Amino acid sequence: HEGVPTDRPPSPSPRCPMFSGLFRGAPAQSAGAARAAPRRSGGAVQPSVKKYRNAQANLDKKQGRGKKEKEPPALAKELARQKGGKQKQATSDSEDGLGDAAAASTSGKTKLERKRLRRKERQKEMKQTAKDLKAKDAQEQGGGREGDGKQNKKKNKRNAAKEKSEPDEPPSKKKKGGGSEPLPIVSLLLSATSSSGTSLGKAAERLKGSRFRWLNQTLYTTTGDAAKKLFEEDPTLAQAYHDGFTAQRAKWPRDPLLDVIEWIRKEVPADGVIGDFGCGEARIALALPKREIHSFDLVRVNERVTPCNLADVPLKNGTLDVVVFCLALMGTDWLSFMQEAHRCLRPGGLCHIVEVESRFEDFGAVVSRIQGLGFELVLDSAGDGSFFVELRFQKDEGSTGGRGKKKKKAAGGKEAKGAGLGACIYKQR
C-alpha cells in the first residue's frame, strides 16, 4: 500500500482504498453483525470478515509478524532429551505387551531388537496354545498309545496329504501286498459313536453316512463282479455298508424281511431248501435255525454267509426249493442273478422278490424279462400303495437252467442297462 510505513501495519482508514468500504459513514461492526448485515446492491461491495482476516494474515506473513521464535539448537536438544528418555521407553514397552521384567531387559536395546523380542514372545504363546489344543483333542479321543507319539504325527501328516490329493477315493490306504486298510483318523472316526455328543462323535456319524451313500450308489451302478472285487480290496466296506443299511432300515415304515420270514415259516414246507441271495447278515438263517438255508452275499460278515458273486453261486443245478431276493437286485447285471436263481431251482420252485416300489421304471418290462428266463408270475403286489413291491415267480416245470446257457438279451441284441429297474440312491441330508 502506498503511504503506509513498513514498520507497522496499516490502519483500516478511509485513506486505504482496500478498506474504504468498511467505514463509509457507519460505526465499526462486530464479526457476527458483519456476517448478518445484508450486502448493498449498489456501489462498492462490502468485503466479509473472512476476507479481512485473510488479508491481515497475508500482510503479517509478508512483514514477518506472528511467527514464534525458534529456540536455540542446544536448548531444543535438552528439552527433547528431558521429554523422552527412559520413562518414554518403559511406557512403550509395556504398551506393546511386554511385562515389567521384559521392559527392564529391553531398556538398553534398539527398536529393532525390541521388535524381535516381542515377536519371539508371541511365537512362544502360539506354540503353547497349539500344544494345549492337541492335548485336549487327544483327551477327547481317548488318548493314544504311549511311546509312538512322533511316529503317529508323521503318519497323520502323510495321510492328510494323501486325502487332499485323492478326494474322490474311498477313505482307505492300500497295502503293499494288495487290499487296503483304513487311515488312522478314519478308523478312529468309524469306531466312534455319537452317544457322547462330542464333536468327534458327530463327525463320525457324518462320515459313516457319507461312506454308506457312496457304497450304495456304487453297488447299484456297477456289476456284481466289480462290486465283489471292491469289497475284497477293502474288507471294512462291508461292515460300513451294513451299519449304514441298518440305520436306514430303522426309518422305513416296515421291515419287508420280517414278512418274508413269516411267509417261509407258514407256507414253505419244513424240508424245503432255501437260498437267500444277497443275504446281508443272513437274518433268515438266524430266524429259522432248524431249516436248511444257504445264504450268499459279496462278503462274509458272519459264519452264516457264503461269499460269492450272485451270478455264480456254489450250488449244483436244481438244489433249491425257494430263492429269496429281498432288496438284493442291486447290480446293473441283475438279470444274471435271476438266471443263476433259475439254474439252482428245482422245476416248480419259487423265486420270491421284494424291491422298493420307486425302483420300477417300467414294471411290465421287468416282469417280461424275468418271465423270458423261464419263470411264470404267480404273485404281484404292485399298486397296493405299499412302500415295497412283492413279486413271486415259479420256475416252469419243463425248464432247465445249465451253466452253459448264454444270458438272455434285450430287444436289439444288447442287454439293457438296469433292464427296467432304477438305482435306489439315498439323498444327502
Side-chain angles (χ1 to χ4, degrees), residues 219 238 241-242 245-246 249 255 257-258 260-261 264 274-287 293-310 313 323-330 337 352:
L219 292 175
Y241 178 80
H242 288 300
F245 182 81
T246 302
R249 187 176 62 207
D255 187 355
L257 189 63
L258 299 179
V260 175
I261 294 172
I264 294 174
I274 301 168
D276 187 3
F277 283 46
C279 63
E281 298 170 317
R283 293 168 60 203
I284 296 179
L286 180 64
I293 300 175
H294 300 275
S295 304
F296 305 106
D297 211 330
L298 296 174
V299 180
R300 183 176 185 175
V301 296
N302 55 48
E303 68 280 357
R304 299 185 296 273
V305 181
T306 301
C308 64
N309 181 4
L310 298 186
V313 299
V323 170
V324 175
F325 285 97
C326 186
L327 308 177
L329 298 178
M330 299 184 70
F337 304 165
H352 191 83

Side-chain angles (χ1 to χ4, degrees), residues 30-229:
S30 62
R35 281 195 296 268
R39 294 176 179 268
R40 298 178 183 176
S41 59
V45 178
Q46 182 181 0
S48 64
V49 175
K50 185 176 181 181
K51 287 185 179 181
Y52 169 73
R53 291 176 178 172
N54 292 340
Q56 188 70 31
N58 292 333
L59 186 60
D60 291 341
K61 187 177 181 180
K62 287 181 180 180
Q63 296 183 1
R65 291 192 300 273
K67 293 184 178 179
K68 292 183 180 180
E69 294 183 1
K70 294 183 178 179
E71 295 87 353
L75 181 59
K77 289 183 179 180
E78 181 65 20
L79 291 173
R81 188 182 66 79
Q82 293 178 1
K83 188 176 181 180
K86 295 182 180 180
Q87 184 176 2
K88 181 179 178 181
Q89 183 176 350
T91 304
S92 62
D93 288 339
S94 62
E95 288 178 353
D96 287 334
L98 296 175
D100 295 337
S105 63
T106 58
S107 60
K109 297 182 181 296
T110 63
K111 184 177 180 180
L112 181 60
E113 290 174 345
R114 294 197 303 273
K115 188 175 181 180
R116 289 176 180 172
L117 182 60
R118 288 193 296 271
R119 187 183 298 117
K120 289 182 180 179
E121 291 292 334
R122 294 191 189 99
Q123 289 176 354
K124 286 182 181 179
E125 291 179 0
M126 292 173 65
K127 288 181 180 178
Q128 186 62 34
T129 304
K131 287 181 180 179
D132 294 341
L133 290 174
K134 286 183 179 179
K136 188 176 180 181
D137 291 341
Q139 187 177 4
E140 288 182 357
Q141 296 174 5
R145 291 179 297 177
E146 296 181 358
D148 60 349
K150 293 183 179 180
Q151 187 176 1
N152 286 339
K153 287 182 181 179
K154 292 181 180 179
K155 285 184 178 180
N156 289 337
K157 287 182 180 179
R158 289 196 300 267
N159 294 334
K162 188 171 182 180
E163 274 187 323
K164 290 181 180 179
S165 62
E166 300 177 356
D168 295 333
E169 294 295 325
S172 60
K173 181 180 178 181
K174 292 184 178 180
K175 296 180 181 178
K176 291 184 179 179
S180 60
E181 61 181 358
L183 299 175
I185 185 63
V186 174
S187 299
L188 180 63
L189 288 174
L190 290 176
S191 61
T193 60
S194 61
S195 58
S196 60
T198 61
S199 58
L200 179 63
K202 294 178 182 178
E205 289 302 315
R206 288 195 296 269
L207 177 61
K208 288 179 180 179
S210 176
R211 206 179 192 202
F212 168 72
R213 286 191 296 271
W214 172 76
L215 283 171
N216 184 73
Q217 183 173 353
T218 302
L219 292 175
Y220 274 109
T221 56
T222 190
T223 62
D225 187 48
K228 188 174 185 299
K229 289 180 180 178

